[in-house]
Every structure is written in structure tokens, then in C-alpha cells.
Amino acid sequence: MERNLFWKLDVILFCLLFVGTGFVFADDAASSLQGEILVAAAQDPINIESDSLSLDNVEEPAINNVDIAEFSDASADVQEDLAEVKETEETKSDDIAEAESVDNEVQTKNPLENVVANNDLNDDDLAELERIGESVYVDDETCDALAEEEQEQTISELSNLVADSSVLQESDNAKIYRETFPLIINEEVQAEITYLTTKARGFLTKAFARAEKYSALMREIVVEYGIPEELAYLPIIESGFNYQAYSPKGAAGMWQFMPGTAKWIGMKRNEWMDERLDPVISCRYAAKYLRMLYDTFGDWYLALASYNYGGHNVKRAIRNAGTSEFYDIAAKRIIPVETQKYVPRFVASVYIIKNYEKFGLKYKEWKEDYEYYSLPFTSPVRLVAKYSGITEHEFMQLNPALRSPFVPSNKHGYQIRLPKNNMDRLKANYNALKNQSAQDYQVYYVRRGDNLSKISERFGVSQGILMSINGIVNSNRIREGQKLYIPVSYYALQKAKTKRQNVATVAANHVVARGDTLYGIALKYRTSADTLARLNRLRSPYTIRVGQVLRIK
């Protein structure tokens, strides 16, 4: 009996001990789980039920990551931390309000007071700016280098962009906003001011020198289209005001129009001319395009970003960013770095050119009155220049859109640009120019085995010019005995070359110098750019570099 009693007592004591241990284990597990929850809350204080990031929805944000064993004594510390967080949020709000106030003041104060010189700023851009400033020269067929499919895609996107934008009646206030450019100097603009006036100073000096004879006229043009006059300075960052600038992607001229955009907006690009290369003509189209972009976005910073990056791309960026503020979009880095810097760099360039003396730069605008005239007949450039009283080089500088050695007749829609005195002289010599131009062609009859390519190469005239002069629609459809008109200057040169093969009047080679263009070299040696490209195996776009040796014959 005693043995059984002691056995029962042992069993009871063992059960009591087991149950007590279980309570201890459960208490430890609860404490551990509480610790994990509080640690997670400290790392990511989000109200799970509302899935909101607001601090107001967090019941107990655990700011201090204390040891798990001390959580039971940390309640007072947590409450103290929560109060501190709320106080910090209020301080941030005050800082934001103060920053906005300062940002508004900086528009009226001298922004350079806050500019900190930083020689490491935008270092990778200097080479690109210098490249733009020095031009990339190509021959007559540059504009056709892009695939037709790419051009059609660009045209389709631009058409859809216009269709998507609402056409609303403009209020007086909206008109004021459209005609006023927001010249806001913020941190990004200050950085670009420093960069342009230090590392890129050489580029900027050249751009200002080129701008002197164009900017006054361009301001008048952009104002005609109801947009801010500051936009006349956009070629500073687009091309350095270089009308011969080409980008690797095919953009051309001061305003850097892409082929597809140029075609869509109505610019002429054919064997006779490329209006992208004419500073005045392209300025009118640029003003028209910028006005359309502003009407689409209602904001000049977004319109400029679209000019650089494309309207549809900017619309997509706005959707992805969830904001239509340019600098907020740029901060999210969902647009290219080039576009992020494009707007502040333009604002910086406008500020500098308006305050050029503060930066020790030289800039003096001058404006010459030009007259325009269309010839009723096609005439060689050399004759038009001769009877205008200027050199061929001077004539081409005034008429850079011409792609051939000829001034096309008025049926092609081209107007000669000349200063008034030279235009008066040209009109006085009209009859002499007309008679000599009529005599400037040689009749050639197509022979058996001829094709337009062989004839073009034989006389050094591009196929496009031959087709245009002779009204040929299909280059593969010429027949034996057909009469073709060949510019006599090229024909005479070809005959002279066959008689004097060894005479050194025409150099065998030409070393490319700074400022040379393939067309200019061809004109000098009385050949065509196409012929030089074939002789030297230049790929399209036909680029040449300083020091390059070109075969002439």
C-alpha cells in the first residue's frame, strides 16, 4: 500500500512539473513572437490593414531596435520615439515650405550667388558639345540615309500626338503663359551655368559668335508664332548655332530636325534642297513645331523635353512617373540623361546670353535685311553668284539649303536669299543670267548600253539632277536615242580631262581642312559629291574628317 501511495505521489509531482514547464515554454514563445513583430514593425512601419504609408495609420511604430528581452520595459521609450518622429515630420514640412519660398525668391535674386564651382560637373558632356560645335559634314544623300520605315513611323507618331491633344479655346491667361518662358534658376540650372561658363566655355564662345547674325531675326520669327522669344536661343544647345551640324542619328541643321519630323511638318528635302540646313526656314518650322508641342502639354519644360526626346516618349514618362512636373520626372530617371539635362541646360544658356557681360563673354547682335527671289529657270550657282556680285562660297553661305551646284526654278519652290544690294544687282543682270544659263547645257543622246548611272558618272552629275532637269521619273527607263540635257560646265570639264590626262590642273588628291565639306570640295574640283564618295568608298552618311586624304580622280 505504501509503495503504491509513493508511486502515485511521484506521478502527480511529475505531472505538475510537466505542466509548469509547458507554461514556461508557452510564455517564452509568446515573448519571442512579440519580439519578432516589434522588430518587423521597426524595420517597416506599415499599417497592414490599410496598406498605407502614412505615419498616422501606424498604431505603435517601434523606432528603437532594443533587445527582445527588454521589450516589456520599452513602452515608454516607444511612445517617446513616436513623438520625436512626428516632430521630425513637422520640421520637414517647415523645411519644404521654406525651400519653396527660397525657390520663388531666387527667380528675382542673382542666381549666381548660390552657384558653387564644381570642376567635376557633367564632364562626359564636354566632348559631345565640342563635337556638335565642330560639325559633322556629309554629302547630298545624308537626308535619305534613314530607312523609309523609320520615317513613316515618326510621321505616324507625330500625327497621333496631334490627334490626342485637345484643341480648346485659349483664354487670356493661357495666352500669357504660352508667351512667357519660366526662367527658373534652381540647383540643376546653377550647375549647368557653372559647366557652360567653365568647361564648355570654348563651345559657348563659338556658339555666341555664330548666333550674332541670326538671333535677332529668329526672335522676331518665334514671336510671330506666339511663343516666347527665349526659344530663339535653342540652337545654342542643339547645334552651337551651326547650320552644317549633323547628328549621328541623322538630325541636321541649327534646329536639328530628324528626317521623319521634317517630312511630317512639311519641309522640302529633295535632290535640289534640304530646308533643314537653312537657318531661317528651319527656324519657322521649329517655331511651328514648338507651338504644337506646347499646345499638347501646356508646359514649356515638357514641350522642350518632347523636342529632344519625342512627344510620345514624354507622354509615356508622365504616365510612368505619375506626375507632369519635369524635374520630378527627371528625378525618377525614367527619361534619358540627355533629356534630364536638356531643359536646365537651355535655361542656363538663356540666362548666360542675357547676362553675357557678367561672365566675361562677348556677344553683339547684328541684323541684315535680306530679300528673296525665285528664278523662273534653273541656273548654275556660279552664274547666279557672279551676277549677284559675290563669290560662290558667299552665295552658298547665304543659301545653305541648296544640295547641288544649281539654283532650281520656281516650280521647285526655292527662293534665293541675298542682301538688298546684291539682289538689286542680280535683277539688273537678269537677261544676261537667263541667256547664259540657257547656253550652259550640252545635248547628249543616249547610246546603246547606256544607263543613267553610267551617264551620271561620265559627266560628274548626280542622277537626281539629271532626272530633274530632263523630267525623268524612273531612272531605269531611258531609251537609245533619247535626248538629255547635261550641264555644260561638267561636260566641258570631262572633255578637257580626256585631252589633258597628265596635266596637273586638277589635283589627284585633296587633304581635308577644317571647314571643308564634301560638296565644297566637289565644287572646287568641278566634280560631284557622289563621284567623290564612290572614289573614296564613303558610306552614307558620307562623313569626312580633318586631315583625311580624298581621291579626286
Side-chain angles (χ1 to χ4, degrees):
M1 289 291 293
E2 291 178 358
R3 185 178 301 172
N4 290 338
L5 180 60
F6 283 117
W7 180 81
K8 290 180 180 179
L9 288 172
D10 290 339
V11 170
I12 292 171
L13 289 172
F14 176 81
C15 291
L16 290 173
L17 179 63
F18 178 82
V19 171
T21 304
F23 283 126
V24 172
F25 287 160
D27 186 54
D28 288 344
S31 298
S32 176
L33 179 59
Q34 181 185 17
E36 291 177 3
I37 293 173
L38 289 171
V39 169
Q43 295 175 348
D44 189 15
I46 299 176
N47 187 321
I48 297 175
E49 293 182 0
S50 63
D51 195 24
S52 172
L53 297 178
S54 172
L55 277 174
D56 296 334
N57 296 326
V58 180
E59 295 181 359
E60 190 178 4
I63 305 300
N64 297 319
N65 191 11
V66 298
D67 188 82
I68 295 175
E70 299 176 355
F71 269 126
S72 59
D73 299 324
S75 177
D77 294 337
V78 170
Q79 295 299 325
E80 182 178 345
D81 288 339
L82 181 58
E84 182 179 349
V85 169
K86 291 182 177 180
E87 181 180 353
T88 302
E89 289 297 317
E90 293 174 358
T91 303
K92 287 182 179 179
S93 299
D94 294 338
D95 290 343
I96 292 172
E98 182 179 355
E100 290 177 350
S101 175
V102 171
D103 194 36
N104 291 332
E105 290 178 5
V106 82
Q107 297 182 50
T108 58
K109 294 171 63 178
N110 180 5
L112 296 181
E113 294 176 356
N114 300 322
V115 175
V116 179
N118 184 351
N119 290 331
D120 295 328
L121 192 62
N122 297 327
D123 194 25
D124 295 337
D125 295 338
L126 183 57
E128 176 67 10
L129 281 174
E130 292 295 344
R131 183 198 65 75
I132 293 174
E134 293 300 332
S135 299
V136 178
Y137 297 106
V138 298
D139 93 322
D140 297 344
E141 297 187 359
T142 300
C143 301
D144 305 322
L146 290 182
E148 186 67 26
E149 180 180 352
E150 181 180 348
Q151 294 191 35
E152 293 301 329
Q153 181 179 356
T154 302
I155 293 170
S156 175
E157 290 179 354
L158 287 167
S159 300
N160 291 335
L161 182 67
V162 175
D164 291 343
S165 60
S166 302
V167 180
L168 303 175
Q169 186 174 0
E170 189 176 44
S171 65
D172 291 339
N173 288 336
K175 183 175 182 291
I176 293 173
Y177 281 120
R178 173 171 51 76
E179 295 178 349
T180 305
F181 187 81
L183 198 65
I184 300 172
I185 312 298
N186 55 19
E187 183 179 350
E188 290 81 3
V189 174
Q190 291 171 351
E192 293 298 337
I193 291 173
T194 301
Y195 170 64
L196 289 172
T197 55
T198 54
K199 288 192 171 184
R201 192 178 186 88
F203 164 81
L204 199 65
T205 301
K206 293 178 182 178
F208 280 15
R210 297 188 189 106
E212 288 179 343
K213 68 176 181 179
Y214 294 110
S215 53
L217 176 59
M218 288 183 175
R219 282 203 308 274
E220 293 180 2
I221 292 174
V222 298
V223 169
E224 285 178 15
Y225 282 82
I227 61 178
E229 65 174 17
E230 287 86 353
L231 294 172
Y233 300 117
L234 190 59
I236 293 175
I237 65 170
E238 280 288 345
S239 62
F241 266 94
N242 189 344
Y243 64 82
Q244 293 177 314
Y246 280 85
S247 77
K249 295 181 180 179
M254 278 191 187
W255 295 88
Q256 289 290 283
F257 275 103
M258 291 291 289
T261 307
K263 183 177 180 180
W264 173 80
I265 208 168
M267 302 179 82
K268 297 184 183 71
R269 292 178 52 251
N270 50 46
E271 66 275 5
W272 296 104
M273 72 192 83
D274 183 349
E275 290 185 333
R276 299 181 302 165
L277 302 179
D278 189 292
V280 179
I281 296 175
S282 60
C283 178
R284 292 192 176 278
Y285 282 103
K288 176 181 177 182
Y289 185 41
L290 286 165
R291 170 68 185 267
M292 184 272 288
L293 291 174
Y294 179 84
D295 290 342
T296 300
F297 292 97
D299 180 273
W300 275 119
Y301 288 175
L302 293 177
L304 286 170
S306 301
Y307 193 92
N308 175 255
Y309 186 39
H312 273 282
N313 292 331
V314 170
K315 276 194 169 185
R316 183 168 58 249
I318 291 172
R319 289 196 300 269
N320 293 339
T323 177
S324 60
E325 293 293 330
F326 169 78
Y327 283 107
D328 291 342
I329 296 171
K332 294 178 182 292
R333 298 182 180 180
I334 56 177
I335 56 178
V337 174
E338 176 189 345
T339 308
Q340 294 173 30
K341 295 179 179 179
Y342 186 83
V343 172
R345 184 164 293 175
F346 171 68
V347 175
S349 66
V350 172
Y351 181 83
I352 294 169
I353 202 168
K354 287 188 172 185
N355 301 275
Y356 64 92
E357 292 179 343
K358 294 182 181 180
F359 301 97
L361 294 168
K362 294 181 179 179
Y363 179 69
K364 185 178 181 180
E365 292 182 351
W366 59 276
K367 180 184 174 184
E368 186 169 9
D369 292 328
Y370 297 107
E371 292 194 354
Y372 296 84
Y373 179 66
S374 293
L375 288 174
F377 50 85
T378 298
S379 180
V381 166
R382 61 183 179 83
L383 293 181
V384 179
K386 172 185 174 182
Y387 288 114
S388 301
I390 57 178
T391 66
E392 290 181 54
H393 179 69
E394 290 171 335
F395 182 86
M396 291 304 299
Q397 283 187 318
L398 291 166
N399 297 271
L402 293 175
R403 299 178 68 184
S404 77
F406 297 92
V407 177
S409 64
N410 52 14
K411 72 177 182 179
H412 296 285
Y414 184 77
Q415 290 188 317
I416 300 169
R417 180 190 299 115
L418 289 172
K420 185 179 186 308
N421 292 337
N422 299 103
M423 186 64 77
D424 291 341
R425 187 168 179 176
L426 176 64
K427 292 179 178 179
N429 293 322
Y430 175 84
N431 290 331
L433 174 64
K434 182 178 180 181
N435 292 335
Q436 192 165 347
S437 297
Q439 299 170 8
D440 212 57
Y441 295 93
Q442 171 71 39
V443 175
Y444 175 81
Y445 292 93
V446 178
R447 303 171 185 173
R448 182 183 297 275
D450 273 348
N451 59 51
L452 208 58
S453 177
K454 288 182 179 180
I455 298 172
S456 171
E457 188 170 356
R458 184 181 306 158
F459 294 105
V461 186
S462 72
Q463 289 190 46
I465 294 297
L466 286 180
M467 292 174 66
S468 181
I469 290 175
N470 293 278
I472 298 172
V473 178
N474 189 331
S475 61
N476 296 320
R477 292 187 178 180
I478 59 172
R479 63 185 185 280
E480 184 179 354
Q482 182 176 348
K483 183 169 65 174
L484 299 179
Y485 292 96
I486 309 294
V488 71
S489 57
Y490 294 107
Y491 183 75
L493 175 64
Q494 191 67 24
K495 288 181 66 177
K497 287 171 66 177
T498 58
K499 292 179 180 180
R500 302 192 305 259
Q501 291 293 331
N502 298 322
V503 177
T505 53
V506 178
N509 298 307
H510 176 87
V511 180
V512 178
R514 185 176 296 278
D516 276 351
T517 67
L518 200 63
Y519 166 73
I521 296 170
L523 194 64
K524 177 179 178 180
Y525 295 103
R526 295 192 175 275
T527 182
S528 72
D530 290 343
T531 301
L532 290 181
R534 284 192 293 271
L535 286 173
N536 294 278
R537 297 182 179 179
L538 301 179
R539 295 183 178 180
S540 182
Y542 300 147
T543 58
I544 58 177
R545 63 184 183 279
V546 175
Q548 182 177 356
V549 178
L550 297 178
R551 288 180 55 197
I552 302 302
K553 63 178 183 178

